Amino acid sequence: MHSKTFFIKTFGCQMNLRDSEIMAQLLGEKGYVETSDSETADLIILNTCSIRAKAEQKVMSLLGVLRKQKKRNPNLKICVAGCVAQQEGQQIIERMPHVDLVVGTQNIYELAELLKEKKQQTVATSLVDNYSIPAFIPDLGKQESEVGPVVFKKFLTIMQGCNNYCTYCVVPYTRGREISRQASHILQEARALVDGGVKEITLLGQNVNSYGKTNNVIEGNGSFSFSDLLRQVASIPGLRQLRFTTSNPKDLSDDLMRCFAEVDILCPHFHLPVQSGSNRILSLMNRKYSRELYLEKVAALRSYCPEIAITTDMIVGFPGETNEDFEETMALLEEVYYHGSYSFKYSDRPGTRSSAFEDKVEESVKAERLLRFQTRQDEICLEHNKKYVGQELPMMIEKNDGDAIVARTGTNHLVHITGEVNSCKPGDIATARILHAGHHSLQGVLKK
Ligand code: SAH
Ligand code: SF4
Ligand code: F3S
């Protein structure tokens, strides 16, 4: 009998990427085989994102295409997982009757059991407050053989959900209340990754700095913070690089910033989403920090680690954003001089507080502001990149196809390297001399 095959398409953030890996492993344990050919798969899983309207539209249009595939192959099972699944639940099946299974963000561990259900369609989207994330030991062996190249870097989810309720954001509704995983589970998972050959781990959470604040993460009553966790993960022998994402500026502790001076393997890159440069808009967004406090944190980070690259997320055209507010965003970009940023047009999301705010900004104005922000950010990226020319920098090799190597610096810059490339494999740390800077990458030559 042929093994059933599955195909997963992942949208959205790293949390979803990690959840897709977990689903793949759980299915593998039940005898399913992952395939990269969606046309012949017996099961297609869409792991979805609903952060902006566009992300959700992509899912809906792909589901439209899959309707035809299911007509050709009535045995095909279609599963919708992730944040759209959590938010829309039953409505997905009402709009898209060819969907077999809707799996919420806390239900992925039940996936294999849910697939066995004889019912025609199943919706499993329970979201509870006192949920404890199961211990989960990654099986790199299986993932490696199916997905291909050596696995040298991995994401590790340390917490789920969010309690911040920024007024524009769906995450507290799609991922539920903030829950931190047990420290022992995280350390066990990290050790298993390193034993399996992983050289770089990125710790994941919507707001890692509040790790351990809403529930007990160690045995007994002691307190254990994100920086405690970070230091313990960093001390695992064999791990070469450590990163984390994301951190709300309001909770960024001095202790965490100090880690950039004290923890050797912590990469000098900090993604610190600001969202707006205007205090009035920050307050409407319920971000709970001011521009001034944000700038203080940036200055402190740079004093602990002068070479640190700071990146951000920015929203333009939040309801009520005036030209003056937007100018403050542009001024903040100049002041921080970000190494990079993700910037978005504000998008109304169902159930969020800001979707009911007045003074929505016109699409054309949002588009103009976004273009202006991104154009200036691109110039600034080039300015930063030019400073690396002539320097010799350590970097982790990500890909080596025999002719050219792609590597990534600790500051998260991509480098295309030439030279004696034969000896390098993904996960190695090499040094290259930077010869040329572009807007989005660097070129270098390997140092012997
Ligand atoms: N937890 C992270 C953010 C996760 S969402 C944090 O607080 O930093 C990733 C980014 O999507 C956000 O930082 C924000 O810039 C953007 N985003 C979220 N909701 C949005 C919306 N309704 N419209 C436009 N951008 C949005
Ligand atoms: Fe969304 Fe704010 Fe939570 Fe980030 S901190 S996930 S933007 S509610
Ligand atoms: Fe999207 Fe959900 Fe991540 S909305 S950004 S997939 S937490």
Side-chain angles (χ1 to χ4, degrees), residues 13-15 49-53 161-162 164 166-171 205-208 245-249 271-276 285 287 289 312-316 318 342-350 352 354 366:
C13 64
Q14 292 100 333
M15 290 265 177
C49 172
S50 63
I51 200 81
R52 285 168 290 277
C162 184
N164 284 325
C166 302
T167 52
Y168 51 81
C169 184
V170 288
V171 172
Q206 292 299 348
N207 184 17
V208 291
T245 197
T246 309
S247 192
N248 186 312
H271 186 65
L272 192 58
V274 67
Q275 317 296 1
S276 169
M285 288 175 162
R287 290 289 286 181
Y289 54 83
T312 201
D313 289 351
M314 198 69 91
I315 296 178
V316 301
F318 186 81
Y342 296 103
S343 47
F344 313 99
K345 288 189 275 185
Y346 167 79
S347 165
D348 261 343
R349 305 307 295 132
T352 59
S354 65
K366 284 193 238 177

Side-chain angles (χ1 to χ4, degrees), residues 133-137 156 181-190:
I133 309 169
F136 187 82
I137 298 302
L156 201 175
R181 292 181 70 190
Q182 293 301 301
S184 59
H185 292 176
I186 296 169
L187 288 162
Q188 201 181 19
E189 188 168 328

